[in-house]
Amino acid sequence: MTDDLRDRLRRAFRWTDPGPPSDYLVSDRSGWWRDPVILDGLGPALADLFRSDRPTVVVSPEVTGFLLGPLVARALGVGFVEAYRAGARRAIAEPMIWAEVPADHRGDVQQLGVRRRLLADDDRVLVVDDWAATGAQARGLRTLLGDRYLGTAAIVDECPPPVTAELTIRSLLSGADLDP
Ligand SMILES: O=P(O)(O)OC[C@H]1O[C@H](OP(=O)(O)OP(=O)(O)O)[C@H](O)[C@@H]1O
Ligand SMILES: Nc1ncnc2[nH]cnc12
């Protein structure tokens, strides 16, 4: 089943060329969400990467994580917590836990924050994201979550192997699976 899903993910993915002045290709992941078989399979497939670690909650960074995280949470039978990017919207008028996200694949340093009341000290947190490029979001969320961090489940992981191992990133595809 997971091999079928991997094939489908490869087929539904495209690199797009934004044209000058950009000199790199941009990932187009929209075909993943448009395919009902992929949408149905992603939650359970990502959940299976960490099911034996018994997560009690899923946390994902905005914005694509808000789409994917709840699918995985549902497959695990647990709840979902949003991790907001500082400055992306109006301030949230509640006590938050913030952590710095080191420079990511765009070179941006950001802050991610979650509502404090939604996480218990003994939660076992699975981070879910569509893509791990440098591991910056995973690293920022591990800082934020501390001992509660179990690891990160991603559709694509193109981090260097030591980063993948250090941050316990597990994925359905590697960067090489999507070579242009
Ligand atoms: O490993 P990193 O270097 O942290 O990169 C991974 C992040 O990059 C993407 O976010 P992006 O802001 O490009 O897309 P999104 O707004 O669709 O989530 C992706 O969704 C991850 O959150
Ligand atoms: N959507 C994406 N997120 C992170 N890294 C990427 N590299 C190429 N596309 C990407």
Side-chain angles (χ1 to χ4, degrees), residues 13 15 25-27 29 105-106 130-133 158:
F13 177 84
W15 291 104
L25 297 175
V26 174
S27 63
R29 298 151 284 166
H105 64 288
R106 295 199 178 89
D130 60 321
W131 203 292
E158 59 177 7

Side-chain angles (χ1 to χ4, degrees), residues 30-41:
S30 59
W32 291 343
W33 329 129
R34 183 65 180 87
D35 180 335
V37 176
I38 293 179
L39 199 63
D40 186 48

